[in-house]
Amino acid sequence: AQKVTQAQTEISVVEKEDVTLDCVYETRDTTYYLFWYKQPPSGELVFLIRRNSFDEQNEISGRYSWNFQKSTSSFNFTITASQVVDSAVYFCALSEASSGAGSYQLTFGKGTKLSVIP
Amino acid sequence: DAGVTQSPTHLIKTRGQQVTLRCSPISGHKSVSWYQQVLGQGPQFIFQYYEKEERGRGNFPDRFSARQFPNYSSELNVNALLLGDSALYLCASSLRYNEQFFGPGTRLTVL
């Protein structure tokens, strides 16, 4: 069965500090997809990134970067020079290609609440 | 382009009642999924529909049902509401199965 663990429940940083959000996943599939979503207080989940299991290349998008390591089943997310607008709950999610009948259901972690203090 | 839209925004019901939540996907998206998010937890998968057919069902009781219409919009129905059904219900649409874009959600409160 698939599982996503986000061990950090809450993190507080001072503005301009770097912060890394951890994500560890479990799956028996060889083909799977990993995601990060941001959920601001408004409640809407905002898609940040998708990674497939065959692409271990790290990715950088502005102040955001992602480190995917299959050897440790981790997909960590780093925000560089954090800003107050980064305050939100961040979710890591996993989708297995073999969910059955063409379903790619997302399994989410419990989320990490990030507070950036001015 | 408009994103995923959901209605209503908020809803208050009493135990035993029935509720219908609605979702319109992003234009061109043929797959719709429903998730339940209880306060303080990550979203939990309820259903996925593609081309009006159910493609996946999560571990929810039969009180939960859904359908997708020819225009790809979707409804989620919950019968015999329980206090534990109070949650944010999120709808997501996707062009392909696995890149899902979420709507703002419907917050259901059961009293």
Side-chain angles (χ1 to χ4, degrees):
Chain A
Q2 54 189 8
K3 184 179 178 182
V4 175
T5 301
Q6 294 180 256
Q8 304 150 309
T9 306
E10 291 192 42
I11 300 177
S12 287
V13 298
V14 176
E15 200 171 21
K16 297 185 183 177
E17 285 184 346
D18 299 346
V19 59
T20 295
L21 309 182
D22 297 334
C23 172
V24 174
Y25 62 91
E26 294 177 30
T27 177
R28 281 182 269 190
D29 276 21
T30 55
T31 302
Y32 53 90
Y33 303 87
L34 295 164
F35 302 80
W36 276 95
Y37 284 87
K38 174 182 180 180
Q39 188 173 45
S42 62
E44 184 168 346
L45 282 167
V46 178
F47 170 82
L48 296 178
I49 189 172
R50 180 192 71 167
R51 241 343 173 216
N52 72 53
S53 52
F54 299 110
D55 183 3
E56 283 193 75
Q57 208 169 23
N58 291 330
E59 182 157 338
I60 297 174
S61 176
R63 296 184 297 107
Y64 295 170
S65 62
W66 290 270
N67 184 348
F68 176 27
Q69 292 195 339
K70 286 178 76 171
S71 60
T72 56
S73 297
S74 65
F75 185 43
N76 296 338
F77 173 31
T78 297
I79 301 174
T80 302
S82 60
Q83 299 176 2
V84 173
V85 292
D86 296 327
S87 296
V89 180
Y90 290 86
F91 290 97
C92 180
L94 166 69
S95 174
E96 293 175 332
S98 65
S99 296
S103 166
Y104 286 83
Q105 64 189 65
L106 292 171
T107 296
F108 286 83
K110 292 188 176 182
T112 298
K113 183 178 180 181
L114 174 64
S115 298
V116 180
I117 304 163
Chain B
D1 283 344
V4 177
T5 58
Q6 292 186 242
S7 63
T9 306
H10 294 89
L11 206 49
I12 298 175
K13 293 284 189 179
T14 56
R15 280 178 296 175
Q17 285 190 312
Q18 175 263 341
V19 68
T20 298
L21 311 181
R22 295 177 177 82
C23 171
S24 292
I26 293 170
S27 178
H29 286 194
K30 298 181 179 181
S31 178
V32 169
S33 299
W34 288 95
Y35 292 81
Q36 180 197 65
Q37 186 179 18
V38 174
L39 195 63
Q41 301 292 317
Q44 295 236 316
F45 173 74
I46 310 176
F47 287 109
Q48 183 175 39
Y49 278 78
Y50 179 73
E51 291 277 16
K52 294 166 285 179
E53 289 189 6
E54 183 183 301
R55 294 301 182 98
R57 172 185 284 256
N59 189 22
F60 280 80
D62 292 343
R63 300 184 295 107
F64 288 77
S65 63
R67 55 180 174 168
Q68 186 177 33
F69 299 99
N71 66 353
Y72 304 112
S73 66
S74 177
E75 286 182 352
L76 175 70
N77 294 287
V78 187
N79 293 323
L81 285 167
L82 303 174
L83 295 179
D85 295 330
S86 295
L88 180 67
Y89 288 84
L90 294 161
C91 174
S93 78
S94 55
L95 184 59
R96 304 172 193 175
Y97 292 130
N98 62 355
E99 196 161 304
Q100 299 183 28
F101 297 90
F102 285 81
T106 294
R107 188 162 297 281
L108 172 65
T109 301
V110 182
L111 302 177

